[in-house]
């Protein structure tokens, strides 16, 4: 069943789907930049094969770059602050 | 494939983009979503995909047969057969060994012990949920509340739609199937609602439920006799928060993912810890199961008559007992259901007597007394006191009964209760962080409802990148403070 895309509601749905896609891509990009350690961990947990080796090397190189540039150091700093709160005793 | 994983995030992005690319091609969209749902299910264990397909096709055919028959006796027999087959499937996978185990205990007690045919049965994930959806479908067709679905694709998608397949909410055919025949719409508010629900679910599952379980609940419940009274008391409060955060998180993510794909699911939890009666609590906790039990267990037990008195109490008790057993093949769940059933019966009895007493006071009140709404107008304290007492009893009944729900067997539960009273000792595992997490998680249930909806309306007009920053930094914060791996959701075992 096809519907007319000239309907303003239909056009809005398409625009909102694009908006949501853009939002998810931005979220993925933020993860890649600020949480590159997660990418290395994910790659290392994949089943071992030639492709995985390439992925692990790429993820390691990316994480090294993010660490050198600075964004990858944000996650450990936040985690340390959280661990201090987590470790409080009476 | 668990929700809070990179695998699911990648899977969902592909499904989202493709589903909206197929927006106006409804049949192709349904086929794609069906294939995606089977991929999602098969990612756990591909062997049970045939079971899922078989269950869907069986209920689809049963619906057509029931609707096609004009003879009431034949219709009744068909719906009884279809329901029995669904229950038989669930019973075989979930309760066979429990039944054999209980039969062995009985034969030992009677001195006629026999070797029972125990089987190595793997419980298919989500079977309790998709079986209940199948039952609700055939019964609704029988009751003529819905028309049978003509397309097996629609039926298969209703049963297997991936956001709700594994741990609910239990979606009704009358609510979901009509949505499949309309061109899906996506508003800015729906996008924002979807993202907020996913963020909220991730926070509850990977942070709150995780730390409560790992730091306090799991060590205390694994050996209650070694724990202090303070930790035992704290852990039984924390456990209901963990179950709530774990299960409502799954529901939130499921409802959020469905909203992003253009489908509306009903709310499954609505601040249940702020309720002042058990009846009210069950109207706001796992709403899709409570309403399912009401419509497909309580109402058939009640029949056409609106019974009062002992028959109604018996039906309430049996419904809760069945609800308890649905959670798992263990006497601890039966006891848990019996406690809730008995408590609901007592609560209804007290409410009826209280109402009668108030009415008699009203009749005796002098003319001109402050009677404005059919009741004597109470002072603020007189209004607060019953509400507080109601909340206190309801909440503690729920938390204490949950000790049976969490304990692996009755002896552990008994040991837990004993140690809670006799062990003594201060907080060893209950840290300020755990105490604050528990109190705050209960406290939010007293806040006015609809907060998330208001925020979603406000941010629904934001641009994609702005929403992406909110979603990305929100998830990033959760991932950083959360654990490295994610434990399965508690309700996967049910």
């Amino acid at each position: 069943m096809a519907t007319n895309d000239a309907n303003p509601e239909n056009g809005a749905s398409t625009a909102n789907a694009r908006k949501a896609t853009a939002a998810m891509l931005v979220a993925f990009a933020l993860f890649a930049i600020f949480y590159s350690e997660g990418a290395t961990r994910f790659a290392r947990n994949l089943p071992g094969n030639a492709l995985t080796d390439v992925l692990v090397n790429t993820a390691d190189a990316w994480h090294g770059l993010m660490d050198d540039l600075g964004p990858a150091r944000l996650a450990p700093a936040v985690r340390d602050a959280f661990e201090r709160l987590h470790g409080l005793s009476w | 494939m668990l929700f809070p994983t990179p695998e699911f995030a990648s899977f969902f992005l592909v499904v989202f983009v493709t589903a909206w690319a197929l927006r106006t091609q409804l049949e192709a969209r349904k086929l794609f979503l069906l294939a995606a749902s089977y991929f999602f299910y098969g990612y756990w264990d591909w062997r049970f995909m045939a079971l899922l397909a078989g269950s869907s096709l069986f209920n689809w055919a049963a619906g057509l047969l029931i609707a096609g028959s004009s003879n009431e006796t034949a219709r009744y027999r068909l719906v009884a057969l279809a329901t029995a087959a669904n229950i038989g499937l669930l019973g075989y996978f979930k309760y066979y060994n429990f039944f054999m185990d209980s039969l062995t205990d009985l034969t030992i007690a009677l001195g006629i012990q026999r070797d029972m045919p125990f089987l190595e049965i793997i419980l298919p994930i989500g079977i309790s949920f998709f079986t209940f959806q199948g039952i609700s479908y055939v019964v609704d067709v029988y009751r003529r509340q819905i028309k049978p679905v003509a397309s097996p694709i629609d039926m298969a998608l209703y049963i297997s739609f991936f956001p709700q397949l594994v741990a609910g909410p239990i979606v009704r055919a009358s609510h979901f199937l009509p949505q499949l025949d309309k061109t899906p719409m996506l508003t800015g508010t729906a996008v924002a609602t979807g993202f907020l629900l996913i963020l909220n679910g991730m926070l509850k599952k990977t942070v709150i439920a995780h730390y409560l379980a790992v730091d306090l609940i799991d060590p205390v419940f694994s050996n209650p006799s070694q724990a202090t009274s303070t930790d035992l008391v704290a852990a039984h409060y924390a456990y209901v928060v963990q179950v709530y955060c774990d299960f409502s998180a799954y529901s939130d993510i499921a409802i959020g993912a469905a909203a992003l794909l253009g489908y509306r699911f009903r709310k499954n939890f609505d601040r249940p810890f702020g309720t002042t009666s058990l009846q009210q609590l069950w109207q706001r906790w796992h709403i899709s199961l409570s309403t399912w039990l009401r419509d497909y267990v309580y109402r058939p037990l009640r029949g056409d008559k609106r019974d009062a008195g002992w028959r109604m109490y018996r039906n309430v008790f049996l419904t809760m007992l069945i609800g308890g057993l649905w959670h798992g093949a263990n006497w601890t769940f039966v006891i848990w259901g019996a406690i809730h059933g008995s408590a609901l019966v007592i609560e209804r009895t007290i409410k009826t007597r209280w109402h009668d007493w108030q009415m008699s006071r009203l009749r005796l009140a002098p003319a001109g007394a402050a009677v404005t709404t059919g009741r004597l107008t109470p002072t603020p304290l007189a209004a607060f006191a019953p509400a507080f007492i109601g909340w206190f009893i309801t909440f503690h009944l729920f938390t204490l009964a949950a000790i049976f729900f969490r304990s692996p067997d009755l002896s552990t539960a008994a040991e837990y209760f004993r140690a809670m009273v006799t062990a003594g000792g201060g907080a060893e595992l209950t840290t300020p962080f755990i105490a604050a997490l528990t109190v705050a998680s209960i406290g939010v249930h007293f806040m006015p409802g609809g907060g998330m909806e208001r925020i979603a309306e406000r941010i629904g007009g934001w641009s994609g990148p702005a929403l992406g920053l909110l979603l990305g930094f929100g998830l990033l914060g959760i991932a950083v403070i959360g654990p490295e791996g994610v434990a399965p959701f508690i309700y996967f075992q049910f």
Side-chain angles (χ1 to χ4, degrees), chain A residues 14-84:
Chain A
T14 306
N16 284 321
R18 286 199 188 115
K19 181 168 94 170
T21 307
M24 286 189 261
L25 290 174
V26 168
F28 268 98
L30 287 174
F31 260 75
I33 294 166
F34 292 100
Y35 198 54
S36 48
E37 64 182 65
T40 59
R41 201 160 51 228
F42 175 69
R44 286 177 194 282
N45 284 335
L46 291 171
N49 57 45
L51 181 64
T52 304
D53 291 345
V54 175
L55 277 174
V56 168
N57 290 336
T58 310
D60 282 349
W62 176 256
H63 179 52
L65 178 67
M66 289 301 106
D67 202 35
D68 289 344
L69 293 174
R73 285 179 240 152
L74 180 69
V78 173
R79 197 175 296 122
D80 285 348
F82 172 74
E83 280 307 325
R84 280 198 290 278

Side-chain angles (χ1 to χ4, degrees), chain B residues 204-224:
Chain B
K204 286 193 284 190
K205 168 65 184 168
T206 58
V207 178
I208 303 174
H210 168 78
Y211 283 108
L212 291 179
V214 170
D215 289 2
L216 178 65
I217 299 160
D218 292 350
V220 165
F221 271 91
S222 68
N223 197 353

Side-chain angles (χ1 to χ4, degrees), chain A residues 1-5 7-28 30-39 41-42 45-46 71 74-90, chain B residues 6-7 9-10 12-13 16-17 20 23-27 181-189 191 195 207 211 215 260 427 430-435 459-465 467-473 475-477 479-484:
Chain A
M1 191 203 312
T3 54
N4 180 8
D5 231 26
N7 179 340
E9 279 193 347
N10 293 339
S13 289
T14 306
N16 284 321
R18 286 199 188 115
K19 181 168 94 170
T21 307
M24 286 189 261
L25 290 174
V26 168
F28 268 98
L30 287 174
F31 260 75
I33 294 166
F34 292 100
Y35 198 54
S36 48
E37 64 182 65
R41 201 160 51 228
F42 175 69
N45 284 335
L46 291 171
L74 180 69
V78 173
R79 197 175 296 122
D80 285 348
F82 172 74
E83 280 307 325
R84 280 198 290 278
L85 181 74
H86 182 213
L88 285 176
S89 58
W90 295 106
Chain B
E7 288 94 326
S10 313
F12 187 73
L13 182 62
F16 179 84
V17 170
W20 285 107
R23 178 172 164 269
T24 55
Q25 296 156 268
L26 287 188
E27 294 308 316
D181 290 328
K182 291 178 188 153
T183 306
M185 296 290 176
L186 189 64
T187 63
T189 307
V191 172
F195 287 156
V207 178
Y211 283 108
D215 289 2
L260 287 168
T430 314
T431 60
F433 175 75
I434 291 298
I459 67 172
W462 285 11
S463 67
L467 280 173
L469 288 174
L470 175 77
L471 179 70
F473 278 118
L475 290 175
L476 202 56
V480 168
I481 64 174
E484 280 195 10

Side-chain angles (χ1 to χ4, degrees), chain B residues 311-326:
Chain B
R311 280 176 64 93
M312 182 188 74
Y313 295 141
R314 180 203 65 183
N315 296 342
V316 168
F317 181 80
L318 284 175
T319 304
M320 292 311 292
L321 200 65
I322 291 167
L325 197 58
W326 174 85

